[in-house]
Amino acid sequence: MQQKKLMTQFGCLVLSGVLAGCATTAKDPQDPLEGWNRGVQTFNDKLDDYAMKPIAKGYQWVTPSFVDQGVSNFFSNINDIGVTLNDLMQFKISQTGLDGSRFIVNTVAGVAGFVDVAAMIDLPKHNEDFDQTMGVWGVPTGPYLVLPFFGPSSPRGVGGLLGDAAMNPISYLDSGVISSGLFGVNAIDLRADNLTTEKIATEAAVDRYAFFKSAYFQHREYLIHDGNVPEGSDYLEIDDDFNEDNLAPVKPY
């Protein structure tokens, strides 16, 4: 009974957020679903304020810094599997070798990736995902789309999420409890790492929704072109804290 009541309240929270956003009239041709998007962002913001942010702060408070870093390194090492595969699908042969070597070194010498030994020997960390791969293949981004729980995205971004999940070995663990737990820990760890930068971005933005939308598209273009943004692009000047290795302006949650 209690679980049913909680689910009902949760559903009402989603619905109220979406309906509140639907009152907004879409003006941006790149954002035809602005009403829906603003509603979902409102829901995500409330979920973040009442759940994710307090949990992330608690995690940060009870976790020693070296353990926090080790957890981040562990999930970053698993992510290097997908990075290496996307390197290969984008025909970045030399980078494929570097990222594959990085994964092997950290897995073997770094105790399953908890220690970033690769950084100590100057093997750089790259940021590649399946959304970028589809962009390199010429698949268009599509309109802006805010996803419940995941935040800023697009139709191509949804495909990217599915592709990245297929490349993540955690997805194939026999126990759904273990895989869900690991994904949950990763989400909390990422949220804790972004507490400071998200606050800076929110305070700096006149229109928080417009800021994250613009940052999402521009960050995607930046990654797809490996930082060589085509001339004439209306590129947003973002503080150094929000470089290509920091997802805070793109994923505020």
Side-chain angles (χ1 to χ4, degrees), residues 29-43:
Q30 205 173 20
D31 187 11
L33 301 174
E34 184 175 347
W36 160 267
N37 288 334
R38 284 186 179 271
V40 175
Q41 179 169 303
T42 298
F43 162 70

Side-chain angles (χ1 to χ4, degrees), residues 1-91:
M1 181 65 70
Q2 182 66 20
Q3 184 179 11
K4 183 177 181 181
K5 181 179 179 182
L6 290 174
M7 291 299 294
T8 301
Q9 292 175 341
F10 181 76
C12 289
L13 180 61
V14 177
L15 184 60
S16 63
V18 171
L19 290 177
C22 287
T24 305
T25 302
K27 298 179 180 179
D28 183 356
Q30 205 173 20
D31 187 11
L33 301 174
E34 184 175 347
W36 160 267
N37 288 334
R38 284 186 179 271
V40 175
Q41 179 169 303
T42 298
F43 162 70
N44 285 344
D45 286 344
K46 290 180 179 179
L47 180 66
D48 187 55
D49 288 339
Y50 292 109
M52 288 301 296
K53 197 177 295 183
I55 292 173
K57 288 180 178 179
Y59 168 83
Q60 200 173 58
W61 184 73
V62 302
T63 307
S65 58
F66 73 93
V67 175
D68 182 21
Q69 186 61 57
V71 171
S72 298
N73 290 342
F74 172 76
F75 286 110
S76 177
N77 187 53
I78 291 177
N79 174 256
D80 280 337
I81 297 173
V83 170
T84 303
L85 293 174
N86 281 294
D87 285 335
L88 188 59
M89 288 187 285
Q90 294 175 37
F91 306 106

Side-chain angles (χ1 to χ4, degrees), residues 130-131 134 147 153-167:
F130 194 59
D131 181 15
M134 288 191 290
L147 301 176
S153 189
S154 65
R156 191 184 69 199
V158 173
L161 287 173
L162 296 174
D164 292 334
M167 298 178 205

Side-chain angles (χ1 to χ4, degrees), residues 62-245:
V62 302
T63 307
S65 58
F66 73 93
V67 175
D68 182 21
Q69 186 61 57
V71 171
S72 298
N73 290 342
F74 172 76
F75 286 110
S76 177
N77 187 53
I78 291 177
N79 174 256
D80 280 337
I81 297 173
V83 170
T84 303
L85 293 174
N86 281 294
D87 285 335
L88 188 59
M89 288 187 285
Q90 294 175 37
F91 306 106
K92 297 177 179 178
I93 306 304
S94 61
Q95 191 168 302
T96 300
L98 288 173
D99 289 324
S101 299
R102 178 183 176 83
F103 172 73
I104 294 172
V105 167
N106 280 342
T107 301
V108 176
V111 193
F114 284 96
V115 180
D116 191 357
V117 178
M120 302 177 189
I121 58 174
D122 295 327
L123 278 175
K125 170 75 177 177
H126 295 106
N127 188 343
E128 303 290 347
D129 53 43
F130 194 59
D131 181 15
Q132 292 177 59
T133 296
M134 288 191 290
V136 171
W137 291 348
V139 178
T141 305
Y144 187 55
L145 178 64
V146 182
L147 301 176
F149 308 107
F150 291 95
S153 189
S154 65
R156 191 184 69 199
V158 173
L161 287 173
L162 296 174
D164 292 334
M167 298 178 205
N168 192 323
I170 294 177
S171 301
Y172 301 98
L173 294 177
D174 289 339
S175 173
V177 175
I178 295 176
S179 59
S180 298
L182 287 172
F183 281 126
V185 171
N186 187 28
I188 293 169
D189 180 67
L190 286 172
R191 188 65 191 90
D193 291 342
N194 283 337
L195 282 171
T196 301
T197 49
E198 178 267 339
K199 180 179 178 181
I200 295 172
T202 298
E203 292 176 349
V206 176
D207 182 342
R208 189 170 182 275
Y209 174 82
F211 177 85
F212 286 127
K213 177 174 65 175
S214 179
Y216 172 77
F217 281 119
Q218 294 181 38
H219 188 75
R220 288 284 94 194
E221 285 297 304
Y222 183 94
L223 291 176
I224 290 169
H225 293 93
D226 293 326
N228 301 311
V229 182
E231 290 186 14
S233 297
D234 184 19
Y235 198 75
L236 181 68
E237 291 294 332
I238 299 177
D239 188 86
D240 289 339
D241 286 336
F242 307 129
N243 57 38
E244 66 272 21
D245 298 321

